[in-house]
Amino acid sequence: MQALLLLTLCLGVLPEVVRAGRSGATTGEVLLYEFAQSQCASGEFTNGAAGSHPALTLTRDTSLTSCITGAVGVSSSEETSNVGPNVRSATSWSDVLDKLKISNEMTIEMWIKPFDATAGLYEEIFTIASESYVSSWNGNHCSTNDSGNGWYDLKVEQDNSKLLVKWAGQTVTKTSFITQTSACKEFNSNINIPTDGDGNLVPFHFAMTFGQAAAGQDASQGLQKVYINGADVAGEFDLSNQNFTPNDSFHADYHLDFFSSEFLHHTPVTDNFRPWPGNLYLFAMYDKVLTPSEVVANYNAKLGNSLPTVTATTITINEEAEVSSGGHYPNPDWYGSAPPVSDLASFDLTSQVSDADVDTVDYPNYDGSAAAPTLWVGSLPGFGNLYQNDGTEITATDTLIASNNLKFRPVLNSNGASVDTFQVYAKDGTTSEPSVGLTTITMDVTAVNDPPIPTNEVREAAVLVGVLTTSIFDLAGSDVDDVGLTGGYISAFPEHGELYAIESDGTTFGAQYTSATADSEGDVQVGLKVGYKFTGDESAPSATGFLTNDQFTFKLYDAAPTKSKTATTSFEVFTSLEATPVSADTFSCTEEELSDVVLKGNDQSTENRNLRYRIDSLPSHGQLFDPVDTTTPLAIGDIVTAEDVHDGSAYSGVTIKYKGEADYFNYPTVMYNTSTVNGGIALESFTYNAVVASATSAKSLPATQQIKVVNVNDETELTGPSGEIAIYALNAPQRAARTEFCAIEANAEHVRCTTNEVAQITSVYANEVDKDVDRVVVHIYTDKQNGRFSLNNDVLGLADFVSCNIPKISTGRTWTCKGDGSSDAEMKFLAQPSDLNRLLHGFEYENFVQDSWENITIVVYDGIGNDEGCQPEAEHTNAGSIRSGCFITNVTITMRVTEYDPESVTDPTDVCGWLPNCMQLPYQVMLGMFGAVLIMLCCICSCIKRKCRRRSARKKEAREAKKKAKLEMPEIAGRDLEEGVRDNRGGGALHGNGFKDIASKGLGMAEGGLNKAKKTGLGGPAVGIALKGVKMAEKKLNSGGAARRGSKETLIPSNSPSKKNPIRQQSGMSEKDEEVAKLTDPDALPPPPALLGPPSSPKRSKPPPPPLKKKTSSKILAWLGYRDSGTGEMYYENTEDGRVTWTEPKEGFKPQD
């Protein structure tokens, strides 16, 4: 049910409420029409009789009849052109007649309101009739005229103030047409219609019964009676002595007609016959005769309760619902927004609600004490807002309208007809039944001239001092009435400036506005444009040039004229001065020279004031100078002396001086190979302000002026080591022997192992400040061409030997590169300056000429000039630098080459060399070195002491192992060797394989004992050498070399005249020839003694077993000396205890022949 109600509300129609009919009336109606408002609106009235009765529906002509406002019933007009019934049954009444035939009784009942009495008019209220002849006759019928154009069986009509009733009696059996005069009975026409005290006809209740006389009674006792307002009017009505026989009196094809006209049945038309223009509230028919008491009951029951009615209407209000048009002009803000509810005009809808039960005095149901109907909201406005009279907004439908008073606020500034609508309905004050449907209330809004609406403006574009194009303001706003803005008023002037009129051209400043012309409200009338002129302080702009904020307030007025509310225009003021740097390409400065820099600016104001320039920040790599004083650098805040004068079209600028720091430049920005210099060089820059020459406190924003500083080629600085550098001249065998020694000694710190035969020159340094803009030429050579140079392989690729390996005629270069960076006697190459340190610091030098001196010269050519050794100008691909000639820088290094003598090698790590050199060091360094040496000595002594203890224990074990080896092997090996020498035969003659077996056995035993001794850690080097010597002896024995040489090979004692090189004595070659042989073909040397091992051995040989002892005095032959064939070094053996050492013995050494 709720859903249905909601749906119907949305559709704007309330559901039909089944309303209770009249209360207390006699039941049993065959027909009952109460003409309810809901049925009247639809144009059809259904039979409302209770029970099962004919469904006879009445239809009304909606163009000629209407529903009664606030009441039940139907009303009709007196339209003379109407020729048919205004309300009629849709079908014949045959079903009703069938019921009447059964009972032969009938009662009709009506509540009617007659029209005003007018003489000579006959209007039919109700008829049972037909407008044409009916062919089937079964009784008496009345004709409407002599021609028989129309027929009726019963008629009730109003004749002015009288009520006439006519019906067809049973007096004549049909044989021909029955005329009105001969066949129809007109009952007494003197039934008076009730009137009020003033004689006006009033609504009344009418009832008429039809029946037959009881058995035994005369026909004159028939039950035809008429009642007015419940009273029997027999005195006014002739019963006509006839019984009621429906079968004879009524035709089944007839219809029920209301508001008919006899004109329907008459021709020609006359004014005497028209539809009845009264009100019909109720019609009922019974198939019985109501008793007088029942008639009275029906009269007292009156009508069913009538529903209230709401009449549609149009409400007219002022724009914004203003009570009085323009009443708020003194407060223009009121029109700029939705007004408060308290200011809205209200309207009353009481007159639009009616209910005949309580407001129509002559209505049958009128009760002046009954509750009046209430008014409710059926739908809300589509655009505006609806309020109760107390200001409460109505936001939902089905809201009770208090006292039927409302307020409506239309959309702001809307006006016109039908601006908005909403709907209402009423509820019965007694039953709360709603009225039928929703009634629309239309809102018309009368336009009211609104004041203009000014716009608050926060101007985004800044005002530049004195710049007119930025200083003209439009007084912005709008006029919703489209009347048009006429002008404005200044309510408050700006704090830091003045306002001026703007001429008709829209750009020229006119007269100044002042408060002298203000009206009574303090407003100065102006146009819609005003000009602003700054009069404040220009001396303190911010970092962005901002000077101050300013504002003014204004009003607008329209053609009415109506003055607006106040609005504010606010804005920022900036300086009009500007510094305008020129491009760095416009001028250029030369490295380390005093050069010109031009400063420019601009005054955008119309005055074009003379300018000067203030230094805001300084350059990073140089200094600025005022041309009037080029000795004192400019500082931050200094103002250049010269003025920049506007020549009528522009400012020419002022020249100052710039000088960069030493070696600084920023152009070119690329190297010789187009790579960016040092990852990119930013231009030099500083900032400055433009100031007014006559008032230097007024300044512009700082601007950045860039400076291009062009490189001037500088020479390359070159430094080398001071003093001489000593190295050894080692041949290949010497190097091999030293390498073998160092491997066996396993001591990389040994003095022999650190001997230099190749010099790494680590103290050559180059410095070039031109950031590799150009390459340089590097030339390395010596005065004697004995030595060889090699660049470090890791950086060899930095040197360019290729691009200059041949002369280049097209560029004018005649010199060429030399060498390839490896073992060169002379080298020349190209390189970028930043790579020189890596190339020259650590290059190698070696020399094989002993006891000689040689000078190394390194030359760097930087600049242009082929003849001088530099690259020609055409080969310098970088065109940005300034090059003036060829800079030549060199350094010479002296090299001392000495003979390599393992016995006299000094430690090359000696820092001082000679004590006097060390004494030249600062005393702080000497003290530090002395302290460090003391600490090291203490640590060494402590370690030696502990080590010696451990060695003492192992020494004993080593000696025992050594003695055992000496007893088991040397004796056998020595005896066999001596025997082989005496025989002077080859290895096969010395007992053949037997000798070799014995020797091998003895050697194996000796090797086992010696290895054991070696494991103890004592005498490791000596034992290892001895073992190696034994193995070499075994090798010679196997090859038969000993037998081949025989007794001619003798051992050289340690005191031999050729102590340095006993091998040379054996070979018979000169020392020079032998040296050449060593360098070219070492195998060409004569073989050394067999016991000294092969000459090509790359490692130091182990000493051989001691020879057979000669029968000499032990005091003379305490030691024997041997030379190692691999290294040429001497080693010594004690003939008494078999000790072996590499160092010449001091104890008991007596050289022998």
Side-chain angles (χ1 to χ4, degrees):
M1 182 64 186
Q2 291 178 345
L4 178 60
L5 179 60
L6 179 61
L7 176 62
T8 54
L9 287 176
C10 293
L11 295 175
V13 179
L14 285 175
E16 179 182 343
V17 178
V18 180
R19 143 181 116 69
R22 57 181 178 168
S23 176
T26 302
T27 60
E29 302 96 331
V30 176
L31 296 175
L32 176 62
Y33 301 101
E34 296 187 84
F35 304 107
Q37 286 108 318
S38 59
Q39 292 187 347
C40 182
S42 68
E44 293 186 349
F45 305 100
T46 58
N47 182 10
S52 176
H53 292 293
L56 188 63
T57 300
L58 304 182
T59 59
R60 74 178 182 90
D61 187 337
T62 56
S63 64
L64 300 175
T65 59
S66 61
C67 301
I68 301 173
T69 301
V72 298
V74 183
S75 177
S76 181
S77 64
E78 287 186 303
E79 177 58 53
T80 58
S81 62
N82 181 31
V83 294
N86 291 349
V87 177
R88 193 180 199 195
S89 62
T91 58
S92 68
W93 77 314
S94 59
D95 291 341
V96 178
L97 182 58
D98 290 341
K99 285 184 172 291
L100 298 180
K101 289 178 180 180
I102 296 174
S103 65
N104 287 322
E105 293 182 345
M106 178 181 72
T107 300
I108 61 172
E109 175 187 11
M110 290 186 292
W111 269 100
I112 58 177
K113 179 182 179 181
F115 59 86
D116 292 337
T118 301
L121 294 181
Y122 298 90
E123 282 94 357
E124 297 176 347
I125 299 173
F126 165 69
T127 60
I128 301 175
S130 173
E131 67 275 14
S132 60
Y133 170 73
V134 180
S135 59
S136 58
W137 293 96
N138 58 356
N140 299 324
H141 304 281
C142 297
S143 173
T144 57
N145 55 34
D146 294 339
S147 302
N149 292 331
W151 305 88
Y152 67 89
D153 288 337
L154 177 64
K155 176 170 66 175
V156 178
E157 63 182 20
Q158 179 183 353
D159 180 6
N160 293 325
S161 59
K162 298 292 183 178
L163 191 65
L164 302 180
V165 179
K166 297 180 180 180
W167 76 296
Q170 194 177 354
T171 58
V172 178
T173 300
K174 177 196 176 291
T175 58
S176 62
F177 289 110
I178 301 174
T179 64
Q180 179 181 355
T181 55
S182 60
C184 295
K185 177 65 177 177
E186 182 176 316
F187 294 100
N188 193 325
S189 60
N190 293 322
I191 302 174
N192 294 315
I193 298 175
T195 60
D196 59 14
D198 296 329
N200 298 317
L201 300 181
V202 296
F204 63 94
H205 179 262
F206 168 81
M208 181 176 181
T209 62
F210 296 86
Q212 294 183 346
Q217 290 184 333
D218 185 79
S220 61
Q221 299 299 314
L223 301 180
Q224 290 80 9
K225 293 182 178 296
V226 175
Y227 299 87
I228 300 296
N229 290 337
D232 186 354
V233 292
E236 302 178 27
F237 193 77
D238 183 1
L239 298 180
S240 66
N241 299 319
Q242 294 191 44
N243 281 320
F244 177 67
T245 55
N247 190 45
D248 296 329
S249 302
F250 297 105
H251 197 285
D253 291 337
Y254 283 6
H255 290 255
L256 302 184
D257 290 343
F258 301 90
F259 306 99
S260 298
S261 170
E262 284 197 0
F263 173 72
L264 173 66
H265 311 291
H266 286 269
T267 342
V269 177
T270 66
D271 288 339
N272 290 334
F273 303 98
R274 292 180 296 182
W276 177 66
N279 294 345
L280 177 63
Y281 299 120
L282 179 142
F283 176 84
M285 180 180 289
Y286 294 85
D287 58 352
K288 66 180 179 178
V289 174
L290 297 184
T291 65
S293 60
E294 290 176 329
V295 172
V296 171
N298 284 6
Y299 167 70
N300 291 332
K302 295 186 170 47
L303 306 174
N305 179 66
S306 63
L307 299 177
T309 301
V310 183
T311 304
T313 189
T314 297
I315 305 297
T316 300
I317 59 175
N318 288 322
E319 189 175 324
E320 269 62 87
E322 190 176 20
V323 175
S324 175
S325 177
H328 292 87
Y329 282 161
N331 178 25
D333 284 342
W334 190 89
Y335 297 92
S337 59
V341 178
S342 59
D343 290 344
L344 303 180
S346 62
F347 51 92
D348 191 351
L349 295 179
T350 300
S351 62
Q352 306 308 122
V353 183
S354 63
D355 187 349
D357 291 338
V358 295
D359 57 26
T360 304
V361 176
D362 62 355
Y363 185 65
N365 280 19
Y366 173 73
D367 182 0
S369 63
T374 56
L375 193 62
W376 298 71
V377 176
S379 67
L380 297 174
F383 305 101
N385 303 94
L386 201 61
Y387 300 89
Q388 300 280 12
N389 196 43
D390 64 0
T392 303
E393 184 175 4
I394 298 174
T395 59
T397 57
D398 297 322
T399 299
L400 174 66
I401 301 174
S403 302
N404 299 335
N405 277 273
L406 291 172
K407 290 184 175 182
F408 173 75
R409 180 163 62 194
V411 175
L412 186 67
N413 298 322
S414 63
N415 57 70
S418 301
V419 168
D420 210 341
T421 61
F422 63 93
Q423 292 178 309
V424 295
Y425 67 94
K427 286 186 179 181
D428 191 274
T430 300
T431 65
S432 295
E433 292 180 85
S435 59
V436 178
L438 299 177
T439 301
T440 299
I441 307 298
T442 301
M443 302 301 300
D444 287 354
V445 179
T446 302
V448 175
N449 179 52
D450 287 9
I453 303 174
T455 302
N456 289 305
E457 180 184 9
V458 178
R459 189 168 181 175
E460 294 184 2
V463 172
L464 301 179
V465 175
V467 181
L468 301 186
T469 55
T470 67
S471 304
I472 296 177
F473 293 85
D474 291 316
L475 302 186
S478 61
D479 186 4
V480 298
D481 302 312
D482 293 328
V483 175
L485 300 176
T486 304
Y489 294 88
I490 298 299
S491 300
F493 285 92
E495 180 181 357
H496 304 289
E498 301 167 341
L499 295 180
Y500 291 81
I502 299 298
E503 300 297 343
S504 59
D505 61 5
T507 58
T508 304
F509 276 40
Q512 181 183 353
Y513 292 121
T514 66
S515 59
T517 59
D519 61 13
S520 60
E521 297 179 8
D523 298 330
V524 177
Q525 188 170 0
V526 298
L528 292 175
K529 285 181 180 290
V530 295
Y532 172 82
K533 182 178 289 185
F534 180 72
T535 59
D537 184 10
E538 293 184 68
S539 63
S542 70
T544 61
F546 170 78
L547 294 175
T548 186
N549 287 309
D550 212 348
Q551 66 178 29
F552 60 86
T553 60
F554 68 96
K555 299 176 182 177
L556 298 172
Y557 65 91
D558 58 18
T562 305
K563 189 183 291 187
S564 74
K565 66 177 182 179
T566 300
T568 301
T569 295
S570 57
F571 49 91
E572 294 178 334
V573 182
F574 281 74
T575 177
S576 61
L577 301 174
E578 58 181 353
T580 56
V582 299
S583 170
D585 293 329
T586 305
F587 56 87
S588 60
C589 299
T590 303
E591 179 183 340
E592 301 180 17
E593 291 184 7
L594 201 63
S595 306
D596 290 344
V597 175
V598 178
L599 301 182
K600 280 192 173 184
N602 185 35
D603 179 13
Q604 302 176 71
S605 72
T606 56
E607 300 178 24
N608 294 327
R609 297 166 288 185
N610 290 352
L611 303 178
R612 293 172 67 190
Y613 300 105
R614 172 186 175 275
I615 303 304
D616 183 70
S617 69
L618 297 174
S620 302
H621 303 284
Q623 296 176 321
L624 301 175
F625 297 90
D626 194 318
V628 301
D629 181 8
T630 58
T631 60
T632 304
L634 291 171
I636 294 176
D638 288 350
I639 298 176
V640 179
T641 304
E643 292 188 10
D644 194 0
V645 180
H646 195 277
D647 62 3
S649 60
Y651 289 92
S652 58
V654 168
T655 300
I656 64 172
K657 300 292 184 178
Y658 168 83
K659 184 177 182 179
E661 64 189 11
D663 300 325
Y664 171 75
F665 70 92
N666 54 45
Y667 185 83
T669 59
V670 295
M671 301 188 300
Y672 67 95
N673 58 2
T674 70
S675 298
T676 302
V677 173
N678 285 356
I681 305 177
L683 292 176
E684 175 77 302
S685 65
F686 64 94
T687 58
Y688 71 98
N689 310 92
V691 300
V692 177
S694 60
T696 56
S697 59
K699 61 184 179 180
S700 72
L701 299 175
T704 299
Q705 178 62 60
Q706 294 181 322
I707 305 173
K708 181 170 71 174
V709 182
V710 179
N711 172 54
V712 176
N713 185 51
D714 293 297
E715 68 176 345
T716 301
E717 298 177 2
L718 197 63
T719 60
S722 60
E724 63 182 32
I725 300 175
I727 62 170
Y728 291 101
L730 269 69
N731 54 38
Q734 289 173 330
R735 293 184 184 181
R738 188 184 64 170
T739 302
E740 180 180 7
F741 167 78
C742 294
I744 296 175
E745 288 293 321
N747 184 2
E749 300 300 323
H750 191 279
V751 63
R752 294 179 182 176
C753 299
T754 57
T755 301
N756 289 333
E757 77 280 2
V758 177
Q760 278 199 334
I761 312 301
T762 59
S763 301
V764 178
Y765 298 98
N767 181 37
E768 203 264 357
V769 296
D770 293 326
K771 302 182 178 66
D772 294 340
V773 171
D774 296 325
R775 290 198 294 181
V776 296
V777 182
V778 181
H779 189 194
I780 305 175
Y781 61 92
T782 65
D783 53 351
K784 297 180 180 180
Q785 297 288 305
N786 291 332
R788 298 291 184 268
F789 307 106
S790 294
L791 299 179
N792 191 326
N793 283 331
D794 294 338
V795 297
L796 185 58
L798 302 178
D800 181 5
F801 292 91
V802 177
S803 62
C804 54
N805 60 354
I806 59 174
K808 194 170 185 179
I809 299 175
S810 61
T811 62
R813 176 172 51 79
T814 58
W815 55 264
T816 61
C817 292
K818 299 179 183 295
D820 61 4
S822 178
S823 295
D824 296 328
E826 179 184 4
M827 63 176 67
K828 181 183 286 190
F829 55 87
L830 292 172
Q832 62 185 37
S834 62
D835 292 335
L836 292 183
N837 283 333
R838 298 173 64 189
L839 286 166
L840 300 179
H841 186 75
F843 78 92
E844 295 181 348
Y845 168 82
E846 60 182 344
N847 195 327
F848 302 108
V849 180
Q850 300 177 358
D851 297 328
S852 64
W853 296 81
E854 188 167 35
N855 291 324
I856 303 173
T857 301
I858 304 174
V859 185
V860 176
Y861 301 89
D862 189 351
I864 57 174
N866 175 75
D867 296 339
E868 291 83 3
C870 289
Q871 285 182 280
E873 179 74 25
E875 290 195 359
H876 284 286
T877 57
N878 201 331
S881 293
I882 298 174
R883 306 177 186 89
S884 55
C886 179
F887 295 107
I888 303 174
T889 316
N890 62 72
V891 64
T892 300
I893 305 168
T894 302
M895 306 298 298
R896 179 168 61 87
V897 186
T898 61
E899 179 185 3
Y900 176 76
D901 184 358
E903 300 300 330
S904 60
V905 170
T906 58
D907 190 351
T909 62
D910 186 357
V911 177
C912 299
W914 293 96
L915 183 59
N917 292 334
C918 286
M919 295 303 292
Q920 294 176 5
L921 296 174
Y923 73 92
Q924 296 94 333
V925 177
M926 293 293 295
L927 289 176
M929 293 173 60
F930 180 73
V933 171
L934 286 179
I935 294 173
M936 291 175 62
L937 289 175
C938 292
C939 294
I940 291 170
C941 290
S942 177
C943 292
I944 291 174
K945 186 175 181 181
R946 289 195 298 268
K947 190 172 182 181
C948 287
R949 289 196 187 116
R950 290 194 297 269
R951 283 186 175 180
S952 179
R954 292 194 294 266
K955 239 179 179 185
K956 185 176 181 180
E957 183 179 354
R959 283 197 298 268
E960 291 177 357
K962 192 171 183 181
K963 288 178 181 180
K964 183 177 180 181
K966 182 178 179 181
L967 292 175
E968 294 179 356
M969 187 277 291
E971 187 173 4
I972 299 172
R975 185 170 57 250
D976 290 343
L977 287 172
E978 184 178 345
E979 188 176 317
V981 172
R982 283 197 304 267
D983 292 343
N984 195 19
R985 293 176 299 180
L990 292 177
H991 309 292
N993 293 333
F995 171 77
K996 294 175 68 175
D997 291 340
I998 295 172
S1000 297
K1001 181 178 180 181
L1003 291 175
M1005 294 171 62
E1007 182 179 359
L1010 292 176
N1011 285 338
K1012 183 176 181 181
K1014 186 176 181 180
K1015 291 180 181 178
T1016 63
L1018 293 174
V1023 174
I1025 293 170
L1027 182 59
K1028 184 175 181 181
V1030 171
K1031 288 184 177 180
M1032 291 172 63
E1034 182 185 20
K1035 184 176 181 182
K1036 289 296 182 179
L1037 288 174
N1038 290 336
S1039 63
R1044 184 176 64 249
R1045 291 183 180 90
S1047 60
K1048 292 182 179 180
E1049 295 180 332
T1050 57
L1051 298 177
I1052 307 299
S1054 60
N1055 60 350
S1056 170
S1058 300
K1059 181 179 178 181
K1060 286 187 178 180
N1061 195 350
I1063 299 176
R1064 191 163 56 239
Q1065 279 190 344
Q1066 303 288 336
S1067 65
M1069 299 173 69
S1070 66
E1071 183 176 355
K1072 184 175 181 180
D1073 294 338
E1074 198 169 298
E1075 184 66 28
V1076 173
K1078 290 179 181 178
L1079 293 175
T1080 56
D1081 186 9
D1083 293 336
L1085 290 173
L1091 294 180
L1092 299 184
S1096 60
S1097 174
K1099 298 181 180 179
R1100 180 184 292 167
S1101 304
K1102 294 181 181 179
L1108 296 176
K1109 293 183 179 179
K1110 296 182 180 179
K1111 295 180 180 180
T1112 57
S1113 174
S1114 61
K1115 294 180 180 180
I1116 297 177
L1117 298 176
W1119 294 85
L1120 289 177
Y1122 302 90
R1123 184 176 298 279
D1124 189 299
S1125 61
T1127 64
E1129 295 181 274
M1130 293 296 294
Y1131 61 91
Y1132 306 88
E1133 181 186 23
N1134 190 291
T1135 57
E1136 297 294 332
D1137 56 14
R1139 286 179 295 163
V1140 179
T1141 179
W1142 288 98
T1143 306
E1144 182 175 327
K1146 304 296 183 182
E1147 177 186 358
F1149 177 70
K1150 300 282 184 159
Q1152 296 292 319
D1153 293 336

